[in-house]
Every structure is written in structure tokens, then in C-alpha cells.
Amino acid sequence: MHELSIAHNVVEIASHAANEAGINRIQAVHLKLGALSGVEKDSLLFCYEIAAEGTRLQGSRLEIDEIPVAIYCPHCDDILPLPGVQALCCPRCGTSSADIRQGYELEVISLEYESSDEPELSL
Amino acid sequence: MQPRLLEIRKGVLDKNDQLARRLRDRFSSAHTLAINLVSSPGSGKTLLLEKTLASLRSTGYRAAALVGDLQTDNDAKRLAASGVPVRQITTAGNCHLEAQMIEDHLEGWTLNDLDFLFIENVGNLVCPSSYDLGEHLRVVILSVTEGEDKPLKYPPIFHSSDLAIITKIDLAEAVEFNRAAALANIRAVRPEMPILEVSAKTGVGMAEWLRFLLVQRAAALMAIEN
Ligand SMILES: Nc1nc2c(ncn2[C@@H]2O[C@H](COP(=O)(O)OP(=O)(O)OP(=O)(O)O)[C@@H](O)[C@H]2O)c(=O)[nH]1
Ligand SMILES: [Mg+2]
Ligand SMILES: [Zn+2]
């Protein structure tokens, strides 16, 4: 299960950013997770708790924004989100397309913290 | 108290991806084609590699292999018998290889002396898909004994591969392998994927696979020179 090593990376990235910004109490980490990222949401949530233990992220939430795959359909000349990842073809006209415009995301987007905990930008 | 947001926007695998890009540049400038072999456990990566290394060697190409394994060095021993340089990467329970492990295990090898570097990933259709190892080609192997619907069950690994090899085709009839369904399922998750059908046991399809490798290497060399 690679979700544990992914979760450790998330914790490391978030801790580092919080440290630089002088934030102590992080309430949540917001993450974008594409359907083709190869990472499973539920196991990542589970592993996040383990990875956060003993760090400043202990007790924080991991908020996962799941991003569906979207392809460009040359026939419709449009970018369309797909209901799944099992068939890379246009949901409107059925044309198959490997021109993927979204769905690979595996990205820490932001940290949520309490406003009393003002960041002091120390560079 | 109002919650506030601090924007970060950082890829979770940035470190791995950056190192992988550096490795790919190293391979390219040394004219070494790097190939990452992925499959479920037991699909036939090692046997295919044994035969491939032996053929390349007998035709004068210089190849080497890195082999990922959870615990043992059995595969490395099998591959070493083909007479090419082989190194074992024991992942100690880790279910995939990462770019750092590749870099660590290249030490002491002169890439300029290699035409091909094969990397046998840990047998697993899930975890390896997220990790770029700096390869030029990712090859996913599907054996006829494991069911035609694997691509639909594990789309990211099939999607992220550049070639699919259907192996153990000598057993296709015995297991009533549904070839049309397998091809359709692979192409559903990766339209236009090149697909080869091979038996490492009987040698069927090996010539096409070797030709594919040579063509890919030539194409990679052309890309570097331009
Ligand atoms: N009949 C037949 N058997 C094969 C073929 N390729 C591999 N095998 C057999 O399948 C078994 C597993 O093959 P390996 O090459 O060890 O598979 P692997 O993918 O390296 O396995 P792991 O490294 O454990 O994930 C062995 O008993 C091989 O002899 C083939 O083309 N035809
Ligand atoms: Mg093996
Ligand atoms: Zn369409």
C-alpha cells in the first residue's frame, strides 16, 4: 500500500509550509486527488491519521477534492468530464480520446488554520 | 474564529518527479533506453526479461537490469544467469520502486556502456503507477491466466503505460482466454496503446518485442539529436 508513503509526503509538505508561514495549529489540509492519480481516497484518509501522529498535523482533517478525468473530444470540440476511468471516450458522442485534460492531480492545495494563529511570513 | 487558508499548491510527488526527470536526462544523454516493467505478481516479468537480456546480449547489445523485490533476491539470481549486469533492489516491504532507489542502485555503473536499462518493478498493479522512475518506456504486462478485465480494475497503471504485453499466450487456449475482450479493455483505458502478444516460454512474439525495443531506442536517439 503506497498510500502511507503518500500520506507521509502530504504531512511533510504541509508541515514545511506551516513552519515557513509560522502557523502552529492546522485544522485541515486540502488536497486534490485525480481519478488517474493511482491513489485510493479511503486508504489515504486512513493513512493520513497514522502519518500525522506525533506531528503538528495530529488531529487535523484531510479534505480530499476528487477530480474526475476530463477528456477533449475532437468531434464535439469540447472538454468533458467522465463518470469513471474505465472508458476514455466521450460521454456525449462515444468518440474515444486519449487527450486527457484533467485527472492526474495529486496536489496539496492549501492549509486551513485558525485566524488567531496569524502567519508571520519569515523569509 | 474564522478559519483561514494558506495556499500551497504543491505536487505530493514533486520530489520523486524531479529526480525522475533528472534520471531520464542522464539516461538519454548516455544513449541508454530505460524500460520500467510493471505487472501483477507472477505475470511473467522475470522470464520475459531473462529471454530479452539473453537475446539482446547475443545480438551485441549491452543491457543491464535492476530488479525490485519485496524480500528475496531470487529474480536477480535468475536474471544474472543471462550474463548481464543485474542489481537487486530490496524494498523491504515497500510495494513499489521510487526514483531515489533507482539512483542509489546505479552507482558504479557507467551508463554510457549500456544500450538498455530494464527495471523490473515490484509485482503490483496499483502502487507503481504513481511513481515515475525516469524510464523512457513503461511496459505493462498482462498474462492470459489472470483475466481479461484487469485493465478495467486497474486503469491508472494501464493508462500510464506506453506498451501492453499480453504474456503466456502459449496458455491462451487452455484457459479460454478471451483475446478480443482483453484488447478492447486495454484500449478502453488507453486508446491507441500498442499491444504485443508474447510467450516467453515458447518464444512466440519475442521477435516483435525485440524489434519494438530497437525501434524505440532509435526513436529516442533521434529525439536527443534534434
Ligand atoms: N507457460 C508460460 N509460463 C510463463 C510464461 N512467462 C512466465 N511463465 C511462468 O510464470 C511464472 C511466473 O513468472 P515470473 O517471470 O517469475 O513472473 P514475475 O512477473 O517476474 O513474478 P514476480 O516477480 O513475483 O511478480 C513462472 O513459473 C514462469 O515460468 C510464459 O510465457 N508461458
Ligand atoms: Mg519477477
Ligand atoms: Zn464527443
Side-chain angles (χ1 to χ4, degrees):
Chain A
M1 195 168 65
H2 66 315
E3 277 78 3
L4 187 58
S5 77
I6 299 281
H8 279 297
N9 284 3
V10 172
V11 168
E12 191 187 311
I13 289 167
S15 302
H16 182 75
N19 203 25
E20 291 214 319
I23 297 169
N24 292 316
R25 269 167 308 158
I26 298 155
Q27 294 175 312
V29 176
H30 293 258
L31 182 97
K32 270 193 183 168
L33 185 65
L36 280 173
S37 66
V39 174
E40 218 265 310
K41 181 183 176 183
D42 289 336
S43 34
L44 183 57
L45 284 171
F46 175 75
C47 292
Y48 180 76
E49 263 182 55
I50 300 170
E53 226 172 83
T55 75
R56 71 168 80 205
L57 285 129
Q58 184 164 342
S60 66
R61 289 171 287 124
L62 180 63
E63 298 275 348
I64 297 178
D65 183 13
E66 287 182 281
I67 312 292
V69 176
I71 56 164
Y72 171 74
C73 173
H75 184 254
C76 299
D77 188 23
D78 204 355
I79 295 171
L80 302 115
L82 305 185
V85 288
Q86 267 126 4
L88 294 184
C89 60
C90 175
R92 206 181 281 158
C93 72
T95 303
S96 99
S97 164
D99 188 351
I100 293 183
R101 300 299 176 91
Q102 101 185 2
Y104 294 115
E105 297 78 1
L106 181 55
E107 199 185 0
V108 180
I109 298 302
S110 58
L111 297 185
E112 196 180 310
Y113 61 97
E114 281 175 19
S115 57
S116 68
D117 200 6
E118 279 306 320
E120 322 142 16
L121 286 167
S122 53
L123 292 174
Chain B
M1 259 178 297
Q2 280 294 313
R4 297 215 174 170
L5 288 182
L6 174 73
E7 190 155 315
I8 300 182
R9 297 204 170 271
K10 194 167 166 44
V12 174
L13 292 173
D14 273 5
K15 245 191 207 166
N16 184 78
D17 294 346
Q18 281 158 13
L19 178 54
R21 276 195 292 275
R22 282 206 301 278
L23 284 174
R24 190 156 29 249
D25 288 345
R26 267 178 72 190
F27 296 143
S28 295
S29 55
H31 295 187
T32 307
L33 189 78
I35 301 113
N36 179 6
L37 295 173
V38 295
S39 80
S40 335
S43 296
K45 297 179 292 301
T46 306
L47 190 63
L48 179 71
L49 209 40
E50 280 179 68
K51 298 294 169 74
T52 306
L53 294 174
S55 296
L56 286 172
R57 187 163 183 254
S58 70
T59 42
Y61 288 96
R62 301 159 304 172
L66 293 173
V67 191
D69 200 309
L70 291 166
Q71 304 292 355
T72 73
D73 63 354
N74 297 346
D75 286 359
K77 280 187 187 137
R78 280 167 61 191
L79 292 174
S82 56
V84 311
V86 173
R87 277 188 186 160
Q88 165 78 24
I89 306 178
T90 307
T91 60
N94 220 332
C95 51
H96 61 271
L97 296 176
E98 298 186 11
Q100 187 64 56
M101 304 174 185
I102 304 302
E103 186 179 50
D104 293 346
H105 286 79
L106 288 175
E107 236 178 81
W109 275 357
T110 310
L111 290 177
N112 284 310
D113 293 343
L114 295 176
D115 301 315
F116 295 94
L117 175 69
F118 293 89
I119 303 166
E120 177 176 338
N121 218 310
V122 180
N124 182 329
L125 279 181
V126 183
C127 311
S129 77
S130 308
Y131 294 88
D132 186 353
L133 303 181
E135 72 266 27
H136 297 101
L137 285 180
R138 185 176 293 184
V139 176
V140 63
I141 295 176
L142 170 73
S143 64
V144 299
T145 53
E146 60 190 294
E148 300 83 5
D149 56 353
K150 276 277 159 70
L152 303 182
K153 288 182 177 160
Y154 304 94
I157 195 106
F158 281 87
H159 176 75
S160 67
S161 295
D162 305 293
L163 168 74
I165 300 185
I166 300 176
T167 51
K168 308 193 188 179
I169 56 160
D170 55 299
L171 303 176
E173 237 169 86
V175 298
E176 295 179 22
F177 177 65
N178 186 339
R179 178 175 182 270
L183 298 183
N185 290 340
I186 293 170
R187 296 230 160 90
V189 297
R190 175 84 193 223
E192 292 150 37
M193 172 100 96
I195 301 172
L196 294 175
E197 295 164 67
V198 171
S199 166
K201 211 140 233 163
T202 66
V204 170
M206 283 300 289
E208 285 77 12
W209 158 236
L210 291 165
R211 197 172 313 127
F212 179 90
L213 288 171
L214 297 180
V215 167
Q216 290 295 323
R217 180 161 182 272
L221 292 186
M222 289 249 288
I224 298 162
E225 257 135 58
N226 294 328

